[in-house]
């Protein structure tokens, strides 16, 4: 069949060569997006022309295959010529000419360059994006959301007279580039540079006003020299050390992984099995700053959810460490004590068993011979789980008995020692006293393994006790007395009992008061090649470590051809034998370099400081510049970095504050988390085993069902649900997912820019909804803001000529604006200014749309009003605004032109509600202008639908008018009741 347009299942991809060898590609249907040949990339508008010349045959699953009609011979050149003639006519405005033009202008004139010399007479505004890791996939439309927001803020502040620092750089070290190098043999540096070039090109195509002179990459030696310098300062202060710790080891990747990089026992990247094993690793003592990291959160203008995540991650708690003597199977006390940490010392009499973490260092010292085999098997099983899996509340508790017992120091009772993976060796002491009556996890474990449950706290609410479940709250202590050891806490409150137990424990040597943290020291080493070398050497004769001299920094990466893991745990850098072997410059003795590298987080911990002074070869940052620019005023990025990057950065910043490098206690004054842009909605229909459609609400009762993607044109809305258009009884599953290549729902911003322009993409991403909320991408939704920009262009420039082109200049006039026009303008100025400052960008756009709607009703468009509106538009749609500004007669960029200010005079309400009485009785109200006359008020009342039936055709005796207060119409007596039926 001949087609002028095609409709294919959403997210399908059609690509088949025609008889001439040119492949056709259609992306992101339901309508054709793009046509490519082996040599020429076409605009989206090229596709319909091609479709006119070719047939579309629909095959299974709604996937189409194109074939050339043998009777038609069409050269690419012919179609190109036709396309050139048609494409201008179809464009709402010439963004394809405007946008490249102004991007070249900004780059050639370095419009957004922040001068190196600080003008302290002006206020500063430092706005920063969480800089990206440049992957090979490039940007998708979810990435520019935050970048557009910071760009709008940066452009506004420049126009308001601020010195603005708005830089961009690259988090360039990391595992993806190394994995790609292993698979392809391409050096990670080449891959990274190629990816950076692609990202930079994409960002520039969107018109972001970054100061590209300050661009940095964490993988450049001039940068990581100072990352290594910071590590040496940590080392000097005892904040960097080596220790043998259980780590997440991934044999396939050949490296240690952070807990957050392990999901369900496999690596997040690649899905490779991960095991737990002890290894000597570099650690950073972030725990030394735990209290300061916690206390200073209160001073920050951050989302409360992010601050709460950090509080929970740090996990400060007050309690006690208690010692339990180990008893062998014969009931004799061993010369061994197990120290537990508890936040509830008031419940010590209710401890009916102990739990040891599988990795506890004392476990092998007392496990009985009879149970050793089972304990070892359980330890191996636990080593394959992540900390997150082990502590998940919903999972079934597992454990094994050690064969030994411990004596409860308070009750004197002998209680069993169990091994269970819900206790972590990295938290507290790696052992707990289990009180099943007053802890949910302990309660579930005790029920499963038939361990006694002893109630020792009576709830204030008696119904809690009657539930039969564990009660974890406070109350009055009971069943808690032992005269032999001199401890009686019966009848007192939980808080008072806790204090008494700690006092007793310290007096008798059974324990002590203790403040504990969930926060663990930062595991800082990675067994990778593509990372910052750790500037430490080890002497051959005694293995002692020594720092590399600061004068020898940067310690650069050696060139390697083989990046594959060694399989032994030795990092790939160990293969660079000539680099590894070195001489200690102080003693002259042979030494070996550290072959682990720093984690990817290292370079991103302090990059915001380097942007202040990126070319300084002598120090990390110039003190004067740091004092002026610190802290970052607005920092925008994803909430997923709450307890990694943001916490690590705060830690490093506080260390730098202590040694006098920075002047502020915190790096980021205000943090804003943008929402996620999800892929377009997909509609799925469920099928039973026979292939029949079944409603989604019944599919769960039928067990697992097959699912089929349904094209949007076959779907309709029914109430709150989506159903098949041909069979409304079949309810569908409608779901939007995070954009990812694996789901095939990634939308490339290059395609959107090609079809609609960068300004339309910027405007749409801001208009989709509240900035902080998650939103669903809808390609057709961008057409609305594109039409708005087209209307704005035509309002100011005029209608297109017959050939589709626009004449030069504008259609504005030099007439004095009316009061009505000034009111519309200043209302828009006030709203847009307020909404940008509050990052409510979508409502700011709505205000501009309202202005344009109003302006289309005017006969004339005064220059002063239109120029002010163009300035309002410029942070959102900078390319169009610059072009309009030029056409309005200005020769310089508007980037630093003062942003309009609202005049309060035009913001006041000028109309009032005037009550209208008939013979002294209020019959309605009318809307009048302030200062309106009696005649004007009476005329409006006569025209009012409700009041006119009392007034029209009636004999009026007199009118009583109080300006701004009331209009009272007195009718002749004989007509007083007329009209009141």
């Amino acid at each position: 069949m001949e087609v002028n347009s095609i409709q294919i299942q959403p997210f399908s991809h059609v690509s088949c060569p025609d008889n001439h060898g040119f492949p056709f590609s259609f992306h992101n249907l339901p309508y054709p997006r793009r046509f490519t040949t082996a040599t020429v990339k076409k605009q989206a508008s090229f596709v319909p022309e091609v479709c006119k010349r070719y047939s579309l045959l629909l095959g299974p699953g709604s996937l189409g295959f194109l074939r050339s009609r043998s009777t038609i011979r069409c050269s690419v050149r012919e179609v190109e010529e036709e396309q050139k003639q048609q494409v201008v006519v179809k464009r709402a405005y010439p963004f394809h000419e405007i946008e490249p033009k102004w991007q070249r202008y900004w780059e050639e004139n370095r419009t957004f360059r922040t001068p190196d010399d600080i003008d302290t007479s002006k206020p500063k505004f430092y706005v920063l994006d969480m800089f990206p890791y440049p992957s090979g996939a490039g940007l998708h439309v979810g990435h520019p959301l935050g970048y557009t927001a910071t760009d709008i803020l940066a452009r506004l502040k420049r126009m308001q007279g601020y010195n603005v620092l708005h830089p961009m750089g690259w988090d360039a070290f990391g595992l993806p580039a190394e994995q790609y190098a292993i698979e392809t043999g391409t050096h990670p540096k080449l891959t990274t540079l190629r990816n950076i070039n692609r990202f930079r090109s994409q960002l520039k195509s969107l018109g972001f006003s970054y100061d590209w002179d300050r661009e940095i990459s964490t993988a450049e030696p001039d940068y990581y020299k100072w990352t290594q310098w910071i590590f040496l300062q940590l080392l000097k202060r005892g904040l960097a050390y080596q220790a043998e710790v259980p780590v997440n080891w991934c044999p396939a990747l050949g490296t240690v992984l952070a807990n957050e990089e392990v999901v369900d026992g496999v690596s997040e990247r690649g899905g490779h099995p991960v095991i737990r094993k002890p290894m000597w690793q570099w650690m950073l003592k972030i725990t030394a700053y735990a209290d300061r990291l916690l206390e200073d959160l209160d001073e920050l203008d951050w989302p409360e959810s992010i601050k709460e995540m950090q509080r929970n991650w740090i996990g400060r708690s007050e309690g006690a460490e208690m010692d339990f003597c180990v008893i062998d199977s014969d009931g004799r006390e061993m010369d061994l004590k197990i120290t537990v940490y508890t936040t509830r010392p008031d419940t010590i009499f209710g401890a009916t068993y102990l739990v040891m973490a599988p990795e506890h260092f004392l476990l092998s010292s007392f496990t009985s011979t009879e149970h050793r085999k089972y304990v070892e098997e359980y330890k191996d099983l636990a080593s394959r789980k992540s900390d997150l899996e082990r502590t998940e509340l919903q999972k079934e508790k597992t454990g094994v008995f050690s064969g030994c017992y411990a004596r409860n120091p308070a009750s004197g009772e002998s209680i069993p020692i169990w091994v269970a993976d819900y206790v972590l060796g990295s938290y507290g002491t790696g052992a707990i006293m289990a009180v099943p009556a007053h802890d949910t996890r302990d309660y579930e474990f005790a029920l499963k393994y038939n361990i006694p449950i002893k109630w020792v706290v009576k709830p204030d609410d008696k119904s809690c006790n009657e539930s039969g479940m564990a009660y974890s709250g406070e109350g009055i202590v009971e069943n808690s007395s032992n005269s032999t050891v001199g401890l009686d806490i019966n009848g007192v409150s939980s808080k008072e009992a806790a204090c008494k137990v700690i006092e007793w424990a310290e007096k008798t040597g059974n324990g002590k008061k203790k403040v504990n943290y969930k926060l663990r020291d930062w595991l800082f080493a990675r067994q990778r090649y593509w990372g910052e070398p750790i500037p430490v050497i080890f002497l051959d004769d005694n293995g002692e470590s020594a720092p590399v001299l600061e004068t020898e920094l940067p310690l650069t990466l050696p060139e390697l051809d083989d990046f594959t893991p060694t399989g032994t745990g030795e990092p790939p850098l160990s293969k660079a034998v000539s680099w590894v072997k070195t001489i200690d410059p102080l003693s002259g003795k042979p030494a070996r370099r550290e072959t682990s590298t720093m984690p990817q987080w290292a370079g991103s911990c302090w990059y915001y400081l380097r942007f202040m002074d990126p070319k300084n070869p002598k120090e990390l940052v110039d003190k004067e510049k740091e004092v002026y620019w610190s802290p970052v005023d607005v920092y925008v990025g994803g909430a997923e970095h709450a307890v990694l990057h943001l916490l690590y950065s705060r830690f490093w910043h506080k260390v730098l504050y202590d040694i006098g490098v920075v002047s502020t206690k915190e790096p980021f004054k205000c943090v804003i988390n943008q929402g996620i842009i999800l892929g377009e909605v997909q509609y799925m229909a469920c099928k039973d085993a026979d292939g029949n459609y079944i409603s989604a609400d019944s599919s769960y009762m039928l067990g697992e069902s097959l699912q089929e993607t349904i094209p949007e044109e076959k779907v309709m809305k029914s109430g709150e649900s989506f159903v098949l258009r041909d069979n409304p009884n079949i309810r569908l599953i409608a779901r939007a997912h995070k954009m990812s290549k694996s789901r095939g729902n990634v939308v490339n911003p290059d395609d959107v820019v090609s079809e609609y322009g960068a300004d339309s993409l910027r405007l749409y991403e801001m208009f989709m909804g509240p900035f902080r909320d998650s939103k669903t991408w809808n390609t057709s939704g961008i057409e609305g803001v594109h039409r708005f920009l087209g209307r704005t262009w035509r309002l100011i420039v005029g209608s297109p000529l017959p050939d589709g082109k626009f004449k030069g200049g504008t259609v504005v006039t030099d007439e004095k604006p009316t009061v009505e026009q000034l009111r519309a303008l200043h209302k828009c100025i006030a709203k847009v200014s307020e909404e940008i400052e509050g990052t409510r960008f979508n409502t700011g756009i709505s205000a501009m749309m309202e202005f344009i709607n109003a302006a289309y009703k005017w006969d004339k468009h005064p220059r002063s009003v239109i120029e002010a509106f163009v300035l309002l538009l410029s942070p959102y749609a900078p390319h169009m605004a610059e072009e309009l500004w030029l056409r309005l007669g200005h020769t310089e960029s508007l980037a630093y032109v003062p942003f309009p200010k609202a005049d309060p005079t035009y913001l006041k309400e000028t109309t009032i509600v005037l009550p209208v009485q008939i013979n002294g009785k209020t019959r309605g109200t009318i809307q009048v202008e302030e200062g309106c006359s009696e005649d004007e008020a009476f005329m409006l009342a006569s025209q009012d639908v409700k009041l006119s039936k009392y007034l029209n055709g009636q004999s009026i005796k007199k009118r009583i008018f109080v300006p701004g207060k009331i209009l009272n119409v007195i009718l002749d007596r004989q007509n007083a009741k007329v009209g009141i039926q």
Side-chain angles (χ1 to χ4, degrees):
M1 62 179 177
E2 281 293 310
V3 291
N4 292 317
S5 62
I6 64 170
Q7 193 105 358
I8 301 179
Q9 179 176 326
F11 306 108
S12 62
H13 176 84
V14 184
S15 183
C16 285
D18 71 356
N19 292 344
H20 302 289
F22 297 116
F24 295 90
S25 296
F26 297 89
H27 304 274
N28 299 321
L29 303 172
Y31 52 90
R33 285 283 179 194
R34 192 174 180 181
F35 167 73
T36 59
T37 70
T39 55
V40 182
K41 283 190 176 180
K42 302 296 180 197
Q43 296 282 355
S45 55
F46 183 31
V47 179
E49 181 57 40
V50 174
C51 291
K52 291 177 185 177
R53 301 172 179 273
Y54 291 85
S55 296
L56 176 68
L57 300 180
L58 295 178
S62 296
L63 292 178
F65 298 88
L66 293 173
R67 69 181 184 186
S68 171
R69 295 181 64 198
S70 58
T71 57
I72 295 178
R73 289 295 180 265
C74 158
S75 72
V76 172
R77 183 173 299 173
E78 287 175 346
V79 179
E80 280 183 323
E81 291 302 320
E82 292 177 25
Q83 180 197 14
K84 287 177 182 177
Q85 295 173 12
Q86 294 180 12
V87 75
V88 176
V89 178
K90 295 180 180 180
R91 288 198 169 103
Y93 69 98
F95 62 83
H96 64 297
E97 298 172 359
I98 294 170
E99 293 180 352
K101 167 187 173 179
W102 285 102
Q103 287 163 19
R104 285 193 302 271
Y105 176 92
W106 294 329
E107 186 161 2
E108 290 169 2
N109 292 275
R110 300 164 80 189
T111 303
F112 307 115
R113 182 176 180 273
T114 305
D116 293 327
D117 296 329
I118 300 169
D119 180 2
T120 56
S121 67
K122 297 172 69 175
K124 66 93 179 179
F125 185 71
Y126 185 179
V127 57
L128 184 64
D129 300 291
M130 292 185 185
F131 69 170
Y133 178 82
S135 69
L139 297 175
H140 62 63
V141 292
H143 293 117
L145 179 67
Y147 304 154
T148 304
T150 58
D151 194 59
I152 291 171
L153 290 170
R155 289 177 178 274
L156 171 71
K157 292 299 181 180
R158 286 192 196 93
M159 299 172 78
Q160 289 179 336
Y162 285 75
N163 283 330
V164 173
L165 181 56
H166 186 39
M168 176 51 71
W170 318 105
D171 193 7
F173 277 129
L175 184 59
E178 184 156 337
Q179 286 303 111
Y180 186 79
I182 293 170
E183 294 165 6
T184 65
T186 308
H187 196 284
K189 184 174 184 179
L190 297 177
T191 304
T192 302
L193 289 175
R194 182 170 65 241
N195 295 345
I196 285 174
N197 290 335
R198 173 161 169 72
F199 264 62
R200 188 192 301 110
S201 173
Q202 288 183 299
L203 291 175
K204 286 185 176 182
S205 75
L206 294 172
F208 297 134
S209 61
Y210 295 123
D211 178 2
W212 287 106
D213 286 354
R214 291 176 183 257
E215 179 183 4
I216 59 175
S217 165
T218 59
E220 291 300 323
D222 287 348
Y223 179 87
Y224 69 71
K225 166 186 177 178
W226 298 105
T227 309
Q228 293 172 333
W229 181 86
I230 295 172
F231 177 85
L232 292 181
Q233 310 317 305
L234 293 163
L235 192 63
K236 286 178 186 177
R237 286 154 183 78
L239 297 171
Y241 65 95
Q242 280 190 301
E244 187 177 49
V245 292
V247 298
N248 300 313
W249 172 254
C250 180
L253 297 178
T255 188
V256 168
L257 299 176
N259 288 337
E260 296 73 25
E261 297 171 308
V262 181
V263 179
D264 296 330
V266 298
S267 62
E268 184 180 30
R269 182 166 294 276
H272 304 293
V274 175
I275 61 173
R276 297 278 286 179
K277 75 173 187 176
M279 290 181 67
W280 274 93
Q281 297 288 292
W282 281 101
M283 311 288 291
L284 297 188
K285 204 168 186 179
I286 190 173
T287 51
Y289 283 74
D291 282 329
R292 288 167 63 181
L293 289 169
L294 197 59
E295 292 163 5
D296 293 343
L297 280 171
D298 295 334
E299 303 174 14
L300 300 177
D301 180 15
W302 289 21
E304 193 56 39
S305 59
I306 298 297
K307 294 199 283 188
E308 193 59 27
M309 287 172 71
Q310 291 209 358
R311 290 188 187 106
N312 293 336
W313 192 262
I314 295 167
R316 186 183 190 276
S317 61
E318 294 185 4
E321 284 186 351
M322 307 294 295
D323 293 330
F324 287 68
C325 289
V326 179
I327 303 171
D328 64 20
S329 55
D330 296 325
R332 293 172 300 199
E333 285 195 3
M334 301 172 63
D335 187 21
L336 200 62
K337 289 184 178 181
I338 297 173
T339 301
V340 305
Y341 173 74
T342 177
T343 58
R344 294 293 302 274
D346 57 307
T347 64
I348 190 168
F349 282 92
T352 57
Y353 66 104
L354 291 189
V355 183
M356 308 283 287
E359 59 272 21
H360 197 289
F361 71 100
L362 285 178
L363 189 55
S364 59
S365 304
F366 59 79
T367 303
S368 69
T369 305
E370 180 185 357
H371 293 83
R372 188 171 299 278
K373 174 186 175 184
Y374 305 108
V375 170
E376 291 301 320
E377 288 176 351
Y378 187 80
K379 285 170 62 177
D380 181 63
L381 189 65
S383 72
R384 303 176 190 278
K385 299 180 183 179
S386 69
D387 289 355
L388 197 61
E389 290 177 274
R390 288 172 54 178
T391 56
E392 188 179 359
L393 292 177
Q394 286 76 22
K395 82 177 190 72
E396 184 181 359
K397 306 297 180 289
T398 63
V400 291
F401 178 45
S402 69
C404 280
Y405 296 78
R407 191 173 305 285
N408 185 322
S411 67
E413 296 173 352
S414 177
I415 59 177
I417 304 173
W418 283 74
V419 184
D421 62 7
Y422 73 85
V423 174
L424 302 177
S426 59
Y427 177 67
T429 63
I432 65 164
M433 64 177 205
V435 185
H438 304 292
D439 182 276
T440 303
R441 295 183 309 170
D442 298 343
Y443 178 79
E444 293 172 357
F445 192 90
L447 283 182
K448 181 174 180 178
Y449 293 104
N450 200 27
I451 299 171
I453 299 173
K454 182 179 178 182
W455 288 82
V456 294
V457 176
K458 180 165 46 176
D460 296 329
D461 183 356
K462 292 183 179 180
S463 63
C464 294
N465 218 5
E466 295 168 357
S467 69
M469 303 294 288
Y471 172 68
S472 58
E474 297 181 348
I476 303 300
V477 177
E478 61 183 0
N479 303 322
S480 300
S481 176
N482 184 355
S483 58
T484 304
V485 300
L487 181 61
D488 182 1
I489 52 175
N490 279 333
V492 301
S493 69
S494 293
K495 287 185 178 179
E496 185 181 347
C499 294
K500 284 190 172 185
V501 170
I502 292 172
E503 184 181 345
W504 167 81
E506 290 180 335
K507 182 187 288 186
T508 59
N510 285 306
K512 61 182 180 180
K513 186 176 182 178
K514 179 72 174 178
V515 176
N516 202 20
Y517 301 89
K518 288 182 182 177
L519 182 67
R520 299 294 91 197
D521 280 344
W522 177 7
L523 193 142
F524 196 67
R526 295 292 185 269
Q527 287 64 49
R528 301 173 184 165
Y529 166 75
W530 192 235
E532 298 94 335
I534 295 176
V536 172
I537 61 173
F538 301 92
L539 300 179
D540 285 355
D541 57 356
N542 56 19
E544 288 185 3
S545 63
V548 170
L549 298 178
E550 291 182 14
T551 54
E552 294 184 1
L553 299 180
L555 173 61
T556 57
L557 276 173
E559 292 295 326
L560 272 186
D561 295 325
D562 180 11
F563 316 103
T564 56
T566 60
T568 63
E570 281 288 308
L573 273 180
S574 62
K575 299 176 183 179
V577 178
S578 60
W579 180 85
V580 172
K581 290 183 178 179
T582 188
I583 300 293
D584 176 23
L586 298 180
S587 65
K589 295 179 179 179
R592 291 174 53 84
R593 297 192 189 280
E594 170 62 70
T595 52
S596 290
T597 53
M598 298 184 195
Q600 185 175 350
W601 308 108
S604 63
C605 271
W606 70 279
Y607 73 104
Y608 59 94
L609 293 171
R610 194 60 176 173
F611 278 137
M612 300 175 187
D613 193 15
K615 304 292 192 298
N616 194 331
K618 296 181 180 179
E619 54 188 336
L620 186 148
V621 60
D622 176 78
K623 285 184 171 56
E624 183 182 355
K625 293 177 180 178
E626 186 278 326
V627 168
Y628 179 75
W629 289 114
S630 288
V632 175
D633 293 284
V634 175
Y635 193 30
V636 175
E640 66 272 16
H641 299 297
V643 295
L644 289 171
H645 163 64
L646 286 175
L647 193 62
Y648 294 158
S649 293
R650 294 182 64 219
F651 166 45
W652 275 33
H653 190 88
K654 290 183 182 300
V655 174
L656 294 173
Y657 176 77
D658 290 346
I659 64 177
V661 174
V662 298
S663 59
T664 61
K665 291 193 299 182
E666 290 286 337
F668 314 119
K669 179 180 178 181
C670 173
V671 168
I672 300 175
N673 300 131
Q674 80 270 25
I676 298 172
I677 292 185
L678 304 172
E680 295 195 77
V681 175
Q682 290 179 285
Y683 302 99
M684 308 295 293
C686 299
K687 286 185 171 182
D688 61 20
D690 297 325
N692 300 312
Y693 286 127
I694 54 176
S695 190
D697 47 11
S698 63
S699 65
Y700 301 107
M701 295 184 287
L702 298 173
E704 290 190 10
S705 60
L706 301 173
Q707 292 186 354
E708 177 186 321
T709 303
I710 302 297
E712 188 174 5
E713 70 273 12
K714 294 185 178 182
V715 177
M716 71 176 188
K717 188 87 181 288
S718 175
E720 295 300 316
S721 304
F722 291 92
V723 297
L724 277 178
R725 188 177 295 276
D726 295 338
N727 186 354
N729 293 321
I730 301 300
R731 183 179 167 192
L732 305 175
I733 300 170
R735 188 176 300 150
H737 299 277
K738 187 176 180 180
M739 288 190 182
S740 67
K741 287 192 295 182
S742 61
R743 290 192 180 274
N745 64 347
V746 171
V747 178
N748 189 331
D750 297 350
D751 294 338
V752 180
V753 170
S754 174
E755 187 167 354
Y756 297 102
D759 284 342
S760 292
L761 175 60
R762 291 167 61 108
L763 215 61
Y764 176 57
E765 298 220 346
M766 295 296 97
F767 192 58
M768 290 173 72
F771 178 60
R772 293 163 175 80
D773 293 356
S774 293
K775 298 163 278 284
T776 302
W777 178 268
N778 185 348
T779 301
S780 60
I782 200 172
E783 294 173 358
V785 294
H786 187 62
R787 284 195 299 271
F788 161 68
L789 289 175
R791 293 187 75 219
T792 301
W793 177 265
R794 292 190 299 276
L795 177 80
I796 300 172
V797 173
S799 300
L801 300 171
D803 63 358
K805 296 181 180 179
F806 292 88
K807 64 181 181 180
T810 66
V811 294
V812 302
T813 67
D814 291 321
E815 296 180 13
K816 185 178 179 180
T818 65
V819 173
E820 176 194 1
Q821 291 171 333
L822 290 172
R823 283 176 185 155
L825 172 65
H826 287 275
K827 181 181 177 182
C828 185
I829 292 172
K831 187 67 173 176
V832 171
S833 302
E834 180 183 347
E835 301 306 82
I836 293 180
E837 295 281 6
T839 63
R840 296 179 295 271
F841 305 106
N842 56 323
T843 47
I845 296 171
S846 295
M848 290 189 285
M849 290 178 171
E850 289 176 12
F851 174 86
I852 291 297
N853 287 339
Y856 261 93
K857 299 174 184 177
W858 304 340
D859 294 329
K860 305 288 185 180
H861 298 92
R863 178 181 301 276
S864 60
V865 172
I866 296 303
E867 285 189 347
F869 176 77
V870 169
L871 294 175
L872 290 182
L873 179 67
S874 65
Y876 287 92
H879 305 90
M880 174 181 280
E882 290 275 22
E883 182 65 21
L884 292 174
W885 192 248
L886 179 68
R887 284 170 171 254
L888 286 164
H890 303 278
T891 57
E892 299 292 330
S893 166
L894 53 66
Y896 296 92
V897 173
F899 199 74
K901 293 183 179 180
D903 185 339
T905 304
Y906 299 106
L907 301 180
K908 295 177 182 177
E909 288 294 332
T910 59
T911 60
I912 59 173
V913 176
L914 186 73
V916 178
Q917 294 181 344
I918 308 296
N919 291 342
K921 187 172 182 179
T922 302
R923 296 297 187 180
T925 61
I926 55 175
Q927 199 88 10
V928 300
E929 290 286 333
E930 280 186 356
C932 80
S933 67
E934 178 181 329
D935 288 340
E936 289 171 332
F938 181 75
M939 183 183 68
L940 289 170
S942 301
Q943 294 171 350
D944 183 83
V945 174
K946 185 177 180 182
L947 295 169
S948 61
K949 65 182 180 179
Y950 298 102
L951 299 174
N952 292 346
Q954 307 304 315
S955 177
I956 297 171
K957 184 175 181 180
K958 68 174 180 177
R959 299 187 310 222
I960 302 170
F961 178 65
V962 181
K965 299 292 184 180
I966 197 168
L967 170 65
N968 187 6
V969 182
I970 308 298
L971 304 177
D972 280 343
R973 286 183 182 275
Q974 63 269 28
N975 296 320
K977 293 183 179 181
V978 175
I980 307 175
Q981 302 295 336

